[in-house]
Amino acid sequence: MKKKSQCQMLAEYFKQDGKLTILEALQHFNCFSLSQRVTELKKKPWSMKIKSTMITTASGKRTARYSL
């Protein structure tokens, strides 16, 4: 069985949950470059409509939350 790519796993996650932050991508998928994977997903033939929103975490840090 062929192992799924990060893009495939992220696409499935977006379809189920609909939103993901950089920290969640690191925790769930060991993905250190979510913005690059999102760009790849946007360029796929089936082109996922992913948008980013800036949020403030509980610790006061600002980060992007990607969603469908």
Side-chain angles (χ1 to χ4, degrees), residues 2-63:
K2 187 176 178 183
K3 185 178 176 183
K4 291 183 183 180
S5 71
Q6 282 184 339
C7 281
Q8 290 170 322
M9 291 186 293
L10 289 168
E12 290 173 7
Y13 188 86
F14 276 121
K15 289 176 185 176
Q16 291 175 0
D17 192 305
K19 59 185 184 267
L20 189 65
T21 65
I22 295 167
L23 182 58
E24 292 166 338
L26 182 59
Q27 291 171 337
H28 297 298
F29 305 106
N30 201 29
C31 177
F32 285 90
S33 52
L34 179 59
S35 61
Q36 290 178 333
R37 299 298 81 79
V38 166
T39 300
E40 290 174 14
L41 288 172
K42 288 179 177 180
K43 291 180 179 180
K44 295 285 184 185
W46 31 270
S47 183
M48 296 187 83
K49 306 295 185 214
I50 301 170
K51 62 180 181 177
S52 66
T53 307
M54 293 304 293
I55 62 166
T56 304
T57 65
S59 64
K61 304 284 184 184
R62 295 200 28 90
T63 188

